[in-house]
Amino acid sequence: MNAAYFEVNRNTWNKKVEVHAKSTMYDLANFKKGKSSLMSYELDALGDVMGKSLLHLQCHFGQDTLSWSRMGAKCVGIDISDAGIAMATSLNTELGLDAEFVCCNVLETSNYIKETFDIVFTSYGVIGWLPDLKPWGLMIAERLKKGGVFYMTEFHPIVWMFDYLDTPPTMKYGYMQDEAIYEEYEGTYANNESKILSKEYGWNHGLSEVVNALVNAGLQISYLKEYDESPYDVLPGLVKTESGKYITRDRLYPLIFEIKATKP
Ligand SMILES: C[S@@+](CC[C@H](N)C(=O)[O-])C[C@H]1O[C@@H](n2cnc3c(N)ncnc32)[C@H](O)[C@@H]1O
C-alpha cells in the first residue's frame, strides 16, 4: 500500500519541480549567480563544512545540496523525484560543482549508497512524507561515519495539525496520528497561482517519535530546539519580523524544530 502512496507523491513532486524552479521563492536566477539557498538555522548548526562528506536527504532539485558544495562539502543528494534529480544533476554540471545525485526513496537510501558520511542533513518539509520513522532513523545511523553528525531542521509537528485548505485553517489532524492524510489542491507552497493539481499522502509525527527513531537507531542527541519563527513564508497568515523570519500573529506555538545528533 505504501508503494502506491509513494508513487502518488513522486508524481506530484515531479510536477512541482518545474513550477518551483520558476518561482520567486526558489529564486533560481540569483542562486545560479552564487546566492546560497541555506538558512541561518542550518548554517549556524553545521558551521564550516569544508572538506566534509555530506549526504542530503530529500534534496528536491538540489539548491541546498549545491549550496553546501559551494562551501566545500563533498555532497550526495537523494530524492524520490526523478525530475528533481535530473534538474539537480544539470545544475551541478552548469555550475561546475562536484555533487552527486541519486534518485531513490529515502527509506531505501542504503540500497543505493554504500559510503558513510561526516554529515547527514535534511530540512523543511521532509519527514511528513514518510509513514514510519523507525527505518528512516536506522538508515541515517547506517550512513553516518563513527563520530558523524546528523542535523535536521523541520516544520514543527503542531504546524501539521491544521488543514490549510480551510480558510481560516482548522485544527483537524492528530499531533501523532498514524493514519495517512490525503490532500488534493491546486498550486504549491512556492506558487499559489500555479494550476498544477497536487495529490499528496502525508503522515504526522510527534517530536517523541522523531527523537526515539534516532535514539533507538543508536544516535546520541546533542540538542532538540523549538522556534516560533520560520525562515519560510509558506503558511497562511504569517507576519515578517525585523530579523526577516516569519511568525504567527499570536506566537502561540512553535513553527520549526531542529535536532543535532551524533553517531558514537
Ligand atoms: C519540501 S521538499 C524538501 C525541501 C527542501 N528543503 C527544499 O526546499 O529544497 C520535500 C522533498 O521530499 C521529496 N520526497 C518526498 N517523499 C520522499 C521519499 N519517500 N523519499 C525521498 N524523497 C522524498 C520530494 O520529492 C521533495 O523533493
Side-chain angles (χ1 to χ4, degrees), residues 13 26 58 60 79-81 104-106 123-125 129-130 189:
W13 279 103
Y26 281 92
Q58 298 177 242
H60 201 17
D79 201 279
I80 201 169
S81 157
C104 67
N105 189 321
V106 65
S123 71
Y124 307 113
W129 306 105
L130 310 178
Y189 58 84

Side-chain angles (χ1 to χ4, degrees), residues 21 23 26-35 63 70 95:
S23 69
Y26 281 92
D27 195 9
L28 189 54
N30 281 317
F31 172 77
K32 285 187 184 178
K33 288 183 201 153
K35 184 182 166 206
Q63 284 192 339
R70 279 173 170 156
L95 298 173

Side-chain angles (χ1 to χ4, degrees), residues 165-230:
L165 302 179
D166 289 344
T167 310
T170 50
M171 194 181 260
K172 193 182 280 181
Y173 302 117
Y175 174 82
M176 48 202 275
Q177 77 175 57
D178 285 333
E179 299 77 38
I181 297 166
Y182 179 69
E183 286 184 326
E184 217 176 283
Y185 59 93
E186 254 188 19
T188 97
Y189 58 84
N191 182 353
N192 287 329
E193 309 297 309
S194 151
K195 293 291 169 216
I196 66 162
L197 183 64
S198 291
K199 297 183 180 187
E200 303 176 343
Y201 288 94
W203 291 267
N204 279 0
H205 305 289
L207 277 188
S208 64
E209 188 186 341
V210 185
V211 166
N212 290 327
L214 299 169
V215 169
N216 292 334
L219 299 190
Q220 282 176 352
I221 308 283
S222 312
Y223 59 71
L224 160 63
K225 297 181 187 176
E226 296 166 290
Y227 302 93
D228 60 4
E229 293 184 322
S230 162

Side-chain angles (χ1 to χ4, degrees), residues 31-97:
F31 172 77
K32 285 187 184 178
K33 288 183 201 153
K35 184 182 166 206
S36 173
S37 59
L38 297 166
M39 299 292 167
S40 59
Y41 291 128
E42 55 268 28
L43 287 168
D44 292 347
L46 289 177
D48 182 5
V49 297
M50 177 64 75
K52 294 190 176 160
S53 56
L54 186 153
L55 173 63
H56 182 190
L57 306 174
Q58 298 177 242
C59 65
H60 201 17
F61 60 95
Q63 284 192 339
D64 285 1
T65 326
L66 297 171
S67 295
W68 290 121
S69 295
R70 279 173 170 156
M71 292 170 64
K74 182 79 189 72
C75 297
V76 178
I78 75 98
D79 201 279
I80 201 169
S81 157
D82 38 296
I85 290 300
M87 176 165 291
T89 306
S90 121
L91 279 172
N92 180 62
T93 307
E94 184 180 340
L95 298 173
L97 295 167

